[in-house]
Amino acid sequence: MAVDDDSLGTAMGGGGDSPKDGAATVWRSDGFTGGLRIQPNPPEIAPKSDGANPDEPKATSDMPALMDELVEEIILRIPPDEPAHLVRAALVCKPWHRIVSDRGFLRRYRELHRTPRLLGYIQNLFSGKVQIPRFAPTCAVPSFSLSAQPDREWWALDCRHGRVLIEICYVPTGLMVWDPITGDQHHLSTRADPCFSFAAAVLCATDSCDHIDCHGDPFRVVFVGTNIVGHEYVTWASIYSLETGAWSASTSIVTQYYVKDKPSLLIGNALYFTLAHDVSILKYDLDRHGLCEIAAPGVFGAIVVNTENSGLGFVCVQDNIIYLLSQQASANGIAGPGWAELTVIKLETLLPKNNPFLRNVVGFAEGTDIVFISTDVGVFTLELKSGKVRKVGEKGGHYAILPYMSIYTPNLAKDRLSPP
């Protein structure tokens, strides 16, 4: 809230035109506009001879409760785009901390804002001789990190519904599901089926979940691997359920190429994985536990995305131009093999002047239109509808970026918020 210097001086008893002697000065709020003005109190009015003033409001015991309700309604409308704002509100005083820590308030807060926000992204980097995923924030949130362990390497495979799926390399190998906000970790073994290339996905397992607060809920992991049988690529899939603690029987098909170790895409009840050389996409139906192969546009370096109508799309960079392609539907409404050009964005006026041949799409935030572009001067986000560009990271060898989306509230971070 901004206050000009003259007014501030008047309020503190110095500077500006002082009010008349004996007249107090108070702060007056201009509603919820965020502005403040300073006004002298009106002249005191002598009470009536009987000592009662019928126009004066009577103090009641309901006033503190009413003020708490007003404060709660104001804090409730703090947008979740910058989680630090809610944390700072909780640290103002004990009554505000009590409001922000209340489960009912937090439930209302998440239900009001609903859509998870982009908090940052996971990148695979080397720390000395150890490879470990790093969280790079895109807003003011507490540091989420994994502790490096000697002689162990980790590789982030997928990220969804507030969880990150990590491969534990070397012996003993395995998988780990990590919740960066709560710090929870769950380890599971991989299947013994042979494969020389694989990808995996993590997702919430709760039916009809809106994913605005599913931290701690059951999850599922889908593992997709490719093996060479004879002269053919045989790609198989299996699903792990936390509730059963076991992997399902695998299903397999013969594919044109092997599956790439790139993040998956979830649309409806299906997961999509990219196959080598970007010539086709592998679809895994979560309900039917079935696999099928879909012909891709054949553009090298493209990534799978969801389009505005929850359809399947591709985003790629060619000749310093971003292209968004959408899978065409046939006359009966079923998705066909063709692809239509939806959006074309020239990058030469949006990104800093650098080597245009070092611009690649390396990530996509599900449920949004935000793509991540890696350049030789840093990592940028691009909103496909508005064309808004924002630098969110430094340059590096980014093979793939995993956007992390959630609604962060102080109660989720264990031992990271101390009461005032």
Side-chain angles (χ1 to χ4, degrees):
M1 300 179 180
V3 181
D4 60 85
D5 294 337
D6 291 339
S7 298
L8 184 58
T10 302
M12 301 303 294
D17 297 329
S18 300
K20 294 181 181 181
D21 294 339
T25 303
V26 297
W27 294 96
R28 301 289 187 189
S29 172
D30 291 330
F32 296 110
T33 61
L36 289 174
R37 67 180 185 273
I38 299 174
Q39 282 186 339
N41 275 334
E44 293 185 4
I45 301 176
K48 294 184 178 181
S49 57
D50 59 2
N53 184 356
D55 297 326
E56 183 178 345
K58 296 181 180 180
T60 66
S61 59
D62 295 334
M63 288 301 291
L66 177 61
M67 289 306 298
D68 283 349
E69 291 180 6
L70 291 175
V71 170
E72 180 175 337
E73 290 301 321
I74 294 172
I75 299 178
L76 193 65
R77 282 154 180 79
I78 295 177
D81 304 81
E82 284 293 344
H85 295 168
L86 193 62
V87 175
R88 289 171 187 150
L91 297 176
V92 167
C93 58
K94 289 183 178 179
W96 286 30
H97 185 277
R98 184 173 58 253
I99 290 173
V100 175
S101 302
D102 181 71
R103 290 186 177 181
F105 168 82
L106 294 168
R107 183 182 63 254
R108 290 181 61 202
Y109 185 83
R110 289 186 287 266
E111 290 175 350
L112 175 65
H113 299 286
R114 301 197 66 80
T115 305
R117 300 310 203 266
L118 178 67
L119 301 183
Y121 58 91
I122 309 295
Q123 54 185 342
N124 292 300
L125 296 176
F126 284 93
S127 177
K129 296 182 180 181
V130 179
Q131 178 179 284
I132 186 169
R134 298 291 186 186
F135 176 83
T138 56
C139 59
V141 292
S143 176
F144 306 139
S145 61
L146 285 168
S147 299
Q149 297 183 10
D151 303 324
R152 299 299 296 271
E153 288 192 1
W154 295 340
W155 184 266
L157 299 171
D158 199 52
C159 181
R160 185 175 295 104
H161 301 157
R163 304 167 179 87
V164 183
L165 179 62
I166 296 172
E167 175 196 6
I168 301 176
C169 308
Y170 293 127
V171 180
T173 60
L175 299 173
M176 177 176 67
V177 177
W178 171 47
D179 187 325
I181 291 181
T182 65
D184 292 338
Q185 298 179 12
H186 188 94
H187 294 256
L188 57 147
S189 61
T190 55
R191 284 187 60 91
D193 300 58
C195 63
F196 74 92
S197 181
F198 68 88
V202 62
L203 65 158
C204 175
T206 303
D207 294 335
S208 304
C209 182
D210 53 16
H211 310 304
I212 61 175
D213 185 24
C214 56
H215 298 274
D217 288 353
F219 61 82
R220 290 182 287 178
V221 173
V222 175
F223 193 95
V224 178
T226 300
N227 192 30
I228 298 178
V229 180
H231 299 285
E232 295 180 324
Y233 292 109
V234 177
T235 300
W236 55 269
S238 178
I239 187 166
Y240 175 89
S241 171
L242 180 63
E243 296 172 319
T244 62
W247 291 93
S248 68
S250 60
T251 182
S252 63
I253 61 170
V254 175
T255 53
Q256 189 174 358
Y257 288 103
Y258 57 89
V259 65
K260 293 174 66 174
D261 57 342
K262 287 285 188 78
S264 65
L265 173 71
L266 176 66
I267 301 179
N269 64 341
L271 283 164
Y272 297 86
F273 301 87
T274 305
L275 298 183
H277 307 297
D278 301 324
V279 296
S280 58
I281 308 164
L282 186 71
K283 177 182 177 180
Y284 175 73
D285 190 308
L286 291 164
D287 292 337
R288 299 179 180 179
H289 189 44
L291 292 169
C292 68
E293 191 172 359
I294 302 171
V299 181
F300 182 76
I303 64 171
V304 286
V305 301
N306 58 261
T307 58
E308 188 175 7
N309 59 351
S310 298
L312 181 63
F314 258 88
V315 169
C316 63
V317 177
Q318 283 192 329
D319 299 324
N320 212 22
I321 299 175
I322 284 274
Y323 293 94
L324 171 61
L325 308 176
S326 175
Q327 189 178 27
Q328 288 182 314
S330 59
N332 57 4
I334 301 176
W339 297 85
E341 191 176 277
L342 286 185
T343 304
V344 177
I345 302 175
K346 295 183 178 180
L347 296 177
E348 56 186 0
T349 59
L350 297 178
L351 296 178
K353 294 186 180 299
N354 63 330
N355 189 341
F357 298 102
L358 297 178
R359 296 178 174 179
N360 302 296
V361 180
V362 292
F364 173 72
E366 280 184 1
T368 73
D369 66 336
I370 300 175
V371 296
F372 285 75
I373 302 174
S374 177
T375 75
D376 60 350
V377 294
V379 178
F380 296 82
T381 56
L382 168 65
E383 297 179 13
L384 296 174
K385 289 182 183 179
S386 64
K388 181 181 177 181
V389 171
R390 178 187 172 201
K391 184 176 181 180
V392 295
E394 301 303 321
K395 66 178 181 179
H398 297 96
Y399 174 70
I401 276 177
L402 286 68
Y404 184 80
M405 302 183 67
S406 184
I407 293 184
Y408 177 83
T409 51
N411 68 307
L412 294 176
K414 298 178 179 178
D415 302 324
R416 294 176 185 169
L417 182 65
S418 300

